[in-house]
Structures are given as C-alpha cells and as structure tokens.
Amino acid sequence: MLGDVWKSLLDLALPRVCVVCSTKLLRMERHICWCCLSDLPVTHFQERDHNPMADRWNESIKRFTIDGDREPYSFAAALFYYSSESGFRNIAWALKYKRDIGQGRYFARILGEKLASSGLFADVDCIIPVPLHWTRLLKRGYNQSGIIAEGISPYLPSAGTLNALKRTRRTRTQTRIGIQGKAANVADAFAVKPECAGRLLTCRHILLVDDTFTTGATLASCFSALRKVLPSSIRISCATLDFVSDDL
C-alpha cells in the first residue's frame, strides 16, 4: 500500500510515459501503455521453424560451414516487427541509446516467455549476447544485448548467460552503413574467449542474442567465430527484440 502511494507521488513529480507513443502511463502500466501493448506487432516466429527471419539467418550463415559438415537448420525468433515509421522502433532505441534498461528488461522478459512456449528453443543450454568493443562498453556502461540475454535466461531453465565472445576490433555502427557494407564491417570482428571454449563444447543448443535483426551480418559474424571452435552437432540459433522486414 505504501509502495503504491510513493509510486503515485513519483508519477506526479516525474510522469512515466509510454516508450512507444509518449502518453502518460496509468499506475498499473509499465513502460508501455495497454493500447500500444495490444498493438505490438508480434512476429510469432518462435512458433515456426521456417519463418522470414530464420530464412534470412540461414542464408547468411551457410557459407561458414566447415569441412563440408552439414549445418543443422538454425532457428531464429524476434519479439516484434520493426518499422522506421512506427513508434515501436523506440523500444530497442531507448534501450541502446537512452539507457532505459528497465524497459529493455521488460520486453526481454516478454521475449523470454514466448521462447519458453516454443519447443524449438526448449533445449537451449547457453545464451550468448553479442559483445560490445571494450571502448564502447566503457562509454555506454552496459551492453544492451547482455540486458536482453539476462531477461531471457530465467525463462529457459536449462540455459545460463555466458559472455563467451569478444570483439577483436572496433567496428563502425551498423545503423550508418548500407546493406552491402554491413557484412564487410563486422567480418572477423569476433572471437571466442579461450577460457570459455571448454564450456561451449558441452552445449547442445546455443542462442545468440542481439537487439535488432536487419541483415543478420553481426550475428553471422558471431556465428562464424563460434563455428571455428564448435562442431556442427551443436546447434546455434538467434533471437532479437525486433526484426526489420523487407515488407514493412
């Protein structure tokens, strides 16, 4: 009761607003108003092994198959569709650039719930966030992909978060590069931390996590780094908050 009073007083002093439409939130609303939450353009990708994101993802990683081993079909899922014309674009943007970690965790938990309801991700036993270069991490103070991974982890009971990858060089921000230049920008930009290689070899299904899936270039480069030390028998899938569709 006392907590509700303090929350109401704080809302008067510092009104909370919806991350999507900026309207003032009601007392029981968190980060997003009920109207926008009901309109969230959910992908339902976790319900389908073949979906637009998975098809794009598998196309981007097929060139990394090593020694002719058959790459198992890799699953991919995102919480919602991204559109530059929609206020829902603010969700990942606010986490990445506005330090809105609370709302990032909120949507990561929703993504985690959806992954947990899917048999495709039930056997995930390791969640790996896409790492930032240490200089960018020092400046930002946190890794947005790590926030999402931590939000997902409790919903996949066999999985723990492992910061198994490192950036070998600083790359340009992908948002400022055309589609053709994205893959070149992040090529060979990641490596497995030597101290994590043994743990990774005990996994059955690894989930790579990032904030946004556009071309899949960054995630594919992470995949390449993992495949250099892991056999094709270990499945590597990916999940993000949003998915940039060619149709939107």
Side-chain angles (χ1 to χ4, degrees):
M1 185 68 177
L2 186 59
D4 289 340
V5 172
W6 278 113
K7 187 174 181 180
S8 297
L9 290 174
L10 283 173
D11 281 349
L12 287 174
L14 296 169
R16 299 174 302 117
V17 298
C18 174
V19 68
V20 175
C21 69
S22 297
T23 59
K24 184 178 178 180
L25 293 176
L26 300 176
R27 185 168 61 86
M28 299 303 293
E29 294 174 332
R30 296 186 60 195
H31 307 293
I32 184 171
C33 68
W34 287 332
C35 182
C36 288
L37 184 59
S38 66
D39 288 338
L40 186 70
V42 179
T43 68
H44 299 288
F45 286 164
Q46 78 282 352
E47 300 171 5
R48 296 181 284 157
D49 54 353
H50 288 260
N51 60 62
M53 180 175 170
D55 289 343
R56 191 184 299 177
W57 165 238
N58 279 273
E59 183 65 25
S60 69
I61 64 177
K62 68 180 183 181
R63 66 183 183 277
F64 297 126
T65 300
I66 299 174
D67 297 329
D69 287 344
R70 183 175 182 275
E71 184 66 44
Y73 188 83
S74 182
F75 304 133
L79 176 58
F80 63 93
Y81 288 100
Y82 170 95
S83 171
S84 60
E85 306 301 319
S86 166
F88 292 103
R89 70 184 184 278
N90 296 331
I91 293 173
W93 186 85
L95 170 61
K96 191 171 184 177
Y97 298 113
K98 299 292 288 184
R99 302 184 64 85
D100 199 342
I101 295 174
Q103 71 90 21
R105 288 174 175 154
Y106 174 81
F107 288 102
R109 288 194 291 269
I110 297 176
L111 175 59
E113 291 174 347
K114 293 189 177 298
L115 294 177
S117 70
S118 168
L120 302 178
F121 300 92
D123 63 342
V124 168
D125 49 8
C126 184
I127 302 173
I128 301 177
V130 172
L132 292 177
H133 189 267
W134 70 269
T135 55
R136 190 162 283 141
L137 180 61
L138 185 65
K139 180 179 180 181
R140 187 172 297 169
Y142 63 96
N143 177 8
Q144 71 277 1
S145 297
I147 297 298
I148 299 167
E150 290 168 4
I152 292 172
S153 182
Y155 296 91
L156 299 175
S158 298
T161 302
L162 183 65
N163 293 307
L165 294 172
K166 63 180 179 180
R167 293 249 183 181
T168 57
R169 58 184 175 83
R170 179 161 178 161
T171 57
R172 294 168 58 196
T173 301
Q174 291 284 81
T175 55
R176 300 173 184 173
I177 302 174
I179 291 176
Q180 298 300 322
K182 289 181 184 292
N185 182 51
V186 293
D188 298 318
F190 302 93
V192 172
K193 295 178 181 177
E195 64 271 22
C196 294
R199 165 70 177 87
L200 292 174
L201 286 169
T202 68
C203 297
R204 294 177 300 163
H205 190 172
I206 292 170
L207 184 67
L208 280 169
V209 171
D210 204 0
D211 54 347
T212 297
F213 189 104
T214 306
T215 64
T218 300
L219 285 162
S221 185
C222 290
F223 176 95
S224 175
L226 289 169
R227 269 292 175 254
K228 289 176 181 177
V229 300
L230 299 180
S232 59
S233 59
I234 299 175
R235 188 186 295 276
I236 304 172
S237 297
C238 70
T240 61
L241 281 185
D242 57 38
F243 170 71
V244 181
S245 172
D246 295 334
D247 299 327
L248 296 178

